[in-house]
Amino acid sequence: MDYEAADDASPMATLIPLASVSQQPYVSELLSFTLDRLHKEPELLRVDAERIRRQMQEVAVNNYRAFISAADALLAIREEVSSVDKHLESLINEIPKLTSGCTEFIESAEQILEERKMNQTLLANHSTLLDLLEIPQLMDTCVRNGNYDEALDLEAFVCKLSTMHPKLPVIQALAAEVRQTTQSLLHQLLQKLRSNILLPDCLRIIGYLRRIGVFSEFEMRLQFLRCRQAWLTGILDDLDQKNAYDYLKGMVACQRTHLFDVVNQYRAIFADDTSGSEENYDGGLLFSWAMHQITSHLRTLKVMLPKITEGGSLSNIMDQCMYCAMGLGWVGLDFRGLLPSLFEEAVLNLFSKNMSTAVDNFQLVLDSHRWVPLPVVGFPSGSVGEETQDDVTPPSYLMEHPPLAVFVNGVSAAMNELRPCAPVSLKPVLAQELIKKLQAVSNSLLRYNASRMLRENESLLFLSLCRAFIEVAYPHCATCFGRCYPGGAALVLDAKNLYGGIGSLLAASTSRVLPKPVAIAEEKTDLVTENGDLPKEDENGVVSETEQAQNGEVEEKEKEEKNNLSSLTEKPTNDE
């Protein structure tokens, strides 16, 4: 390449002397030569050129490696230049992307700058924001500690913030947490209404519920009654139902005290009715709730009263129920008119149960009784079965007849249980119940006589027992009933057909084996050994004149009964 440039420059030098600054010294030197010297100059130049050519060859031979390396380097440089050219083209193509990236970086930097400014603002208002974020926790603490006014103030503040900033997520999340705490507050307030609280506390709680605004006025009234009913139910559930008397006593005391308080609390809290008709204002809510409570109370009485087995306890419960109803009458809940039917049924069931027990015990003792003479039991002088008006002690004569003694003891126990709680309206019903049980004893004696084969001495003792039933046990039962109900003895004694079957049995047996009831001193020993039906004696063993007269009257009465056997025996036969 250099050689070609030199060859190109030679003609230019011949054409244009002094064309180059580098040739100027040589031209100046030529001008100073002589002509001969000028003629020799071409040969000299040729010799120099040959010499230089040889030198160049020598240099090329000696430094061929450098030339080869230079050629390789030139080739590599060409390739690198081509690669650089390609990379430059790709760089030129990537420059728009770099421009857009820089633009995005500038925008991101601006956004980061905005966020930094917001963070700086947040840092400056950190204490205020922290107070706002702690509102749910602070409200929950207030609720747990019973500071309901402060809790409701916080709730109102958060609601105001939520209204003012409906699009701020933080404020809305704060409002959601406060609503959850408000539900906890509502549950705690309702739980307090289910506890034993007084009127001032009730007023405060209802005021809090109104501030919360969850319930309407009617719903709030209904919720108040529901909570108070749950409290009353909890008190009743805590009572021991195993003892019916204690349970009813506690229940009546609870209704008398707490039901009265609940009605007064309701009227004091919701006394905003200007129409003068509370029932019309609340739709009869209080009236319906009170009627439900009274109905539940009466239903419980109906279930539990039959479990009371003592007349004194039944009378005490009746007095307490009457007192409770009278106290509730001050708030218009007097239910005394609904109690008599319940207690009459309970009294009737108790009396019937006791009388049935007496009859069952009589039957058991009669079935297992051994007919042997028993020792004479001393008793005051007087007729057999005769009792004074004030003394209703069972005649000791009955101790000679254990089945009758057991029966009379059972009747006495039934009368003792009846006497403290004897309703006047049940007088005829209880008289019929007593007559029915006496009739059952009479029928049992007749069945026993018909089903058992007794020897002569056993038959005499059995007939003596039958006579004691008619002449002693039956009048004594009527007298006991008369002590419970004035004039009640006449109702029982009027049932003349009660012992008709036994009377006919005694009348039929009188002419054959049954000894006369008239007692004489000579027959005393025989009567003791045969039937045990002794006339009444005084302490010295002498039969009293009154006893003899009484026995004579009994003999005359038996003669009269013989004429009426057919009429006396019809009904017992049918009953049997």
Side-chain angles (χ1 to χ4, degrees):
M1 178 182 259
D2 295 336
Y3 295 126
E4 292 176 356
D7 293 338
D8 293 337
S10 297
M12 294 297 296
T14 58
L15 294 177
I16 304 176
L18 304 176
S20 174
V21 177
S22 60
Q23 294 176 0
Q24 186 67 32
Y26 180 70
V27 173
S28 298
E29 187 178 359
L30 287 179
L31 292 177
S32 62
F33 286 170
T34 62
L35 183 61
D36 295 333
R37 175 82 169 122
L38 290 172
H39 285 290
K40 294 179 179 179
E41 187 65 24
E43 185 65 23
L44 292 173
L45 291 174
R46 185 184 62 76
V47 173
D48 291 336
E50 185 66 24
R51 181 177 56 81
I52 291 171
R53 186 181 63 80
R54 286 195 302 271
Q55 290 177 352
M56 288 181 62
Q57 289 178 352
E58 291 176 0
V59 170
V61 171
N62 294 329
N63 297 287
Y64 73 95
R65 294 181 183 276
F67 288 106
I68 293 173
S69 298
D72 293 338
L74 180 62
L75 180 61
I77 289 172
R78 286 179 179 177
E79 292 177 355
E80 290 294 333
V81 170
S82 299
S83 176
V84 169
D85 184 45
K86 293 179 181 179
H87 285 297
L88 287 176
E89 290 179 358
S90 63
L91 178 62
I92 293 172
N93 294 331
E94 293 294 331
I95 286 177
K97 295 182 181 180
L98 177 62
T99 304
S100 62
C102 293
T103 305
E104 292 178 357
F105 174 76
I106 293 173
E107 293 177 354
S108 176
E110 292 177 352
Q111 184 178 359
I112 293 174
L113 183 62
E114 293 293 331
E115 292 178 356
R116 181 173 179 276
K117 291 180 180 179
M118 291 180 63
N119 291 333
Q120 290 178 346
T121 305
L122 177 63
L123 181 61
N125 297 278
H126 175 265
S127 60
T128 303
L129 293 175
L130 185 62
D131 292 338
L132 289 176
L133 295 176
E134 288 180 350
I135 286 179
Q137 183 179 359
L138 179 61
M139 184 177 176
D140 183 70
T141 303
C142 292
V143 171
R144 293 179 183 275
N145 295 331
N147 300 322
Y148 302 127
D149 290 315
E150 292 79 0
L152 290 176
D153 291 339
L154 292 173
E155 190 265 346
F157 174 72
V158 172
C159 288
K160 183 178 179 180
L161 282 180
S162 177
T163 304
M164 294 174 60
H165 307 283
K167 296 182 179 181
L168 291 180
V170 175
I171 299 298
Q172 297 304 318
L174 187 67
E177 293 182 6
V178 168
R179 281 193 293 270
Q180 293 179 357
T181 308
T182 304
Q183 290 297 322
S184 176
L185 170 61
L186 177 63
H187 176 74
Q188 188 168 341
L189 291 175
L190 294 179
Q191 194 64 32
K192 282 187 173 293
L193 282 179
R194 298 186 183 98
S195 61
N196 186 11
I197 56 176
L198 300 179
L199 178 59
D201 296 328
C202 291
L203 288 171
R204 281 194 294 270
I205 291 175
I206 295 300
Y208 296 145
L209 292 177
R210 284 173 174 162
R211 287 183 62 182
I212 294 176
V214 177
F215 304 116
S216 64
E217 185 65 21
F218 180 80
E219 291 175 345
M220 191 176 302
R221 292 171 182 242
L222 181 61
Q223 198 67 34
F224 175 81
L225 293 178
R226 283 179 177 174
C227 293
R228 302 311 283 166
Q229 181 177 356
W231 170 57
L232 292 176
T233 304
I235 295 177
L236 296 180
D237 291 340
D238 292 338
L239 297 177
D240 185 11
Q241 297 189 10
K242 296 180 180 179
N243 190 329
Y245 173 71
D246 292 338
Y247 177 78
L248 288 179
K249 186 170 64 174
M251 183 189 71
V252 173
C254 173
Q255 294 289 353
R256 183 184 71 250
T257 304
H258 300 307
L259 183 58
F260 181 85
D261 291 341
V262 171
V263 174
N264 283 332
Q265 289 170 359
Y266 181 90
R267 290 179 175 175
I269 294 172
F270 303 104
D272 52 354
D273 181 15
T274 58
S275 64
S277 175
E278 182 179 345
E279 181 174 349
N280 293 332
Y281 184 82
D282 64 0
L285 186 60
L286 177 61
F287 174 77
S288 300
W289 181 81
M291 287 303 300
H292 172 74
Q293 292 298 113
I294 296 299
T295 303
S296 177
H297 178 73
L298 296 176
R299 189 182 303 114
T300 304
L301 281 176
K302 187 174 182 180
V303 173
M304 299 298 293
L305 283 177
K307 299 180 181 180
I308 297 180
T309 58
E310 297 180 1
S313 300
L314 196 62
S315 176
N316 190 15
I317 293 297
M318 181 171 62
D319 293 339
Q320 292 192 28
C321 287
M322 287 295 182
Y323 180 66
C324 173
M326 182 179 65
L328 292 177
W330 290 98
V331 291
L333 299 178
D334 191 352
F335 59 94
R336 283 177 289 181
L338 302 176
L339 294 175
S341 59
L342 296 177
F343 282 94
E344 287 175 0
E345 182 180 357
V347 170
L348 179 59
N349 291 335
L350 178 61
F351 184 74
S352 300
K353 181 180 179 181
N354 291 334
M355 288 301 302
S356 298
T357 302
V359 173
D360 294 340
N361 292 337
F362 168 80
Q363 185 65 47
L364 290 175
V365 176
L366 180 63
D367 292 339
S368 61
H369 181 59
R370 297 179 61 187
W371 298 100
V372 295
L374 297 177
V376 180
V377 179
F379 44 86
S381 61
S383 62
V384 177
E386 180 182 355
E387 297 171 350
T388 63
Q389 183 177 0
D390 297 331
D391 186 15
V392 290
T393 303
S396 56
Y397 171 76
L398 293 176
M399 294 179 66
E400 301 178 16
H401 306 288
L404 285 183
V406 170
F407 174 71
V408 171
N409 284 338
V411 173
S412 299
M415 295 300 173
N416 289 333
E417 299 298 339
L418 173 65
R419 189 173 182 181
C421 56
V424 178
S425 59
L426 290 183
K427 178 180 178 180
V429 178
L430 295 179
Q432 291 298 322
E433 184 68 21
L434 177 58
I435 292 171
K436 180 181 176 181
K437 300 306 178 184
L438 290 171
Q439 182 68 55
V441 172
S442 177
N443 294 338
S444 179
L445 290 174
L446 292 175
R447 287 195 301 269
Y448 187 87
N449 180 66
S451 61
R452 298 295 181 93
M453 297 297 294
L454 301 176
R455 293 189 294 271
E456 182 177 359
N457 58 340
E458 294 177 344
S459 178
L460 290 176
L461 293 174
F462 174 74
L463 295 174
S464 177
L465 183 145
C466 293
R467 182 180 295 278
F469 171 71
I470 295 174
E471 297 178 357
V472 181
Y474 173 63
H476 176 73
C477 293
T479 304
C480 292
F481 189 75
R483 292 300 300 272
C484 295
Y485 289 102
L491 294 176
V492 179
L493 293 174
D494 287 344
K496 295 181 180 180
N497 60 346
L498 175 64
Y499 52 87
I502 296 180
S504 62
L505 177 63
L506 293 175
S509 303
T510 300
S511 59
R512 295 185 289 106
V513 293
L514 189 62
K516 300 295 182 181
V518 177
I520 58 177
E522 292 79 7
E523 296 175 349
K524 176 181 176 182
T525 304
D526 296 336
L527 293 176
V528 169
T529 57
E530 291 180 359
N531 55 19
D533 189 8
L534 290 176
K536 205 160 190 178
E537 300 175 351
D538 57 14
E539 295 179 354
N540 297 324
V542 180
V543 178
S544 63
E545 294 178 358
T546 306
E547 180 68 17
Q548 294 176 3
Q550 179 68 25
N551 291 336
E553 292 177 359
V554 172
E555 184 177 1
E556 291 178 0
K557 184 182 292 185
E558 290 178 355
K559 291 179 181 180
E560 293 177 359
E561 289 176 352
K562 292 179 181 179
N563 299 326
N564 299 324
L565 285 178
S566 59
S567 61
L568 292 174
T569 56
E570 287 179 359
K571 186 172 181 179
T573 305
N574 293 335
D575 294 339
E576 185 177 356

